[in-house]
Amino acid sequence: MRIARVGAPGAERPAVFVGDDEYVDVSDVVADIDAVFFQSVGIAALADIVEERRAAGRVTSVGTQRIGAPIARPHQIICVGLNYADHAAESGMPIPAEPILFTKSPNTLVGPFDDVRIPRGGTKTDWEVELGIVIGRRASYLESREAAAAHIAGYTLVNDVSERAFQLERSGQWLKGKSAETFNPAGPWLVTPDELDVARLGMRLDVNGVRRQTGSTATMIFPPDELVRYISQFLVLEPGDLINTGTPPGVGMGSTPPIWLEPGDSMELAIDGLGVQRQLVVGPR
């Protein structure tokens, strides 16, 4: 199932896509794709509703409508650093013995086709195509990867935008480099685990039509279920939380010389089965 939210910012309506450009509106039975939804209605309850409406022809074309992030603002966004063996090599860093964790402000979340805004004082804004995990059930001290998998609602495509000057040159605090407004485009869909083999999904990102990142989740050091199990040992994961699982090689910082985003640039990124994103880069407010 491919769950989405369609509409203007702050007025998105829950929907389930039944084709690349068509969806079934479920906003009359689901208020939003948030913690309340995961805890009460749940994804499984939508299947029969969607099939019934699809059979009745109650299908809407996206057209020019905006697609928002597939989840409402989460309780938290947790990011994993250096989780791809080839990206660690590109960065000149050893493969970590345990997942490297940091947080990103939840209000960075925007839709997959919304603009990405360079922050004031930003000089080294970078891109990162990533697989995002959406949590479906409250999780704490999970004992196994199997238990962790049962707490995953689905997966989404994420662009983990970073301002490297803030991240690495301003006291080395990653939160500052990751949390500017618009720095977490997500979507277009939340895809349920039954539709994906997350162990080997192709990934790509282009800047101004030039391929910059090509990778696969097959080179992940810590797979999604292990990340959820591990993170649950240190904090409580809530329904609707988002985990950004790391990026393959090809980020601007790893280029020689480094390449940074500038106003007017465009990004297009995709992960197999999770759709495509496109963003225009704009200047500071």
Side-chain angles (χ1 to χ4, degrees):
M1 191 178 299
R2 294 180 293 170
I3 298 170
R5 297 165 69 246
V6 180
E12 295 91 346
R13 303 180 310 281
V16 175
F17 272 70
V18 294
D20 288 344
D21 301 306
E22 293 182 325
Y23 67 88
V24 172
D25 192 313
V26 292
S27 60
D28 58 325
V29 294
V30 176
D32 209 344
I33 308 302
D34 55 11
V36 174
F37 164 72
F38 290 114
Q39 290 172 312
S40 55
V41 179
I43 290 174
L46 290 180
D48 290 343
I49 296 170
V50 170
E51 186 53 39
E52 178 181 324
R53 294 182 178 184
R54 181 180 186 179
R58 295 175 61 183
V59 175
T60 303
S61 175
V62 175
T64 59
Q65 297 178 87
R66 172 182 177 269
I67 299 177
I71 55 174
R73 183 182 297 184
H75 162 255
Q76 58 191 340
I77 298 176
I78 299 168
C79 302
V80 183
L82 296 177
N83 193 35
Y84 283 72
D86 40 7
H87 176 52
E90 169 189 56
S91 303
M93 304 287 286
I95 291 177
E98 296 185 38
I100 298 170
L101 305 180
F102 57 96
T103 58
K104 187 166 191 165
S105 179
N107 65 3
T108 58
L109 190 71
V110 293
F113 307 107
D114 292 343
D115 293 345
V116 165
R117 185 175 295 281
I118 293 175
R120 292 183 186 179
T123 57
K124 298 179 179 179
T125 305
D126 205 347
W127 57 82
E128 294 186 6
V129 57
E130 303 201 8
L131 174 72
I133 303 169
V134 177
I135 299 298
R137 295 163 51 194
R138 199 168 195 263
S140 180
Y141 298 117
L142 297 171
E143 295 184 355
S144 67
R145 288 174 59 176
E146 291 74 19
H151 286 73
I152 296 175
Y155 301 94
T156 190
L157 170 61
V158 169
N159 190 353
D160 179 20
V161 185
S162 310
E163 173 47 55
R164 304 298 189 188
F166 295 175
Q167 176 186 352
L168 302 174
E169 300 170 12
R170 302 286 297 273
S171 304
Q173 297 177 18
W174 286 24
L175 175 68
K176 292 191 296 191
K178 296 283 186 172
S179 293
E181 59 182 325
T182 75
F183 265 27
N184 207 104
W189 313 307
L190 165 61
V191 180
T192 50
D194 59 292
E195 295 201 11
L196 295 168
D197 178 3
V198 292
R200 46 186 57 85
L201 298 176
M203 313 169 72
R204 67 170 177 83
L205 184 144
D206 299 347
V207 179
N208 297 329
V210 177
R211 181 61 46 85
R212 294 299 181 186
Q213 287 189 276
T214 302
S216 169
T217 57
T219 66
M220 269 190 178
I221 300 166
F222 305 102
D225 53 2
E226 171 57 18
L227 288 173
V228 173
R229 186 208 65 79
Y230 179 87
I231 293 169
S232 78
Q233 309 306 307
F234 302 94
L235 50 88
V236 177
L237 289 165
E238 300 286 355
D241 281 355
L242 177 63
I243 301 172
N244 296 342
T245 61
T247 195
V251 298
M253 181 174 63
S255 302
T256 305
I259 302 169
W260 310 117
L261 293 170
E262 298 180 357
D265 285 346
S266 63
M267 294 180 282
E268 179 173 300
L269 54 151
I271 296 179
D272 293 348
L274 293 176
V276 177
Q277 294 186 4
R278 298 179 189 88
Q279 294 106 32
L280 176 68
V281 179
V282 298
R285 282 191 295 111

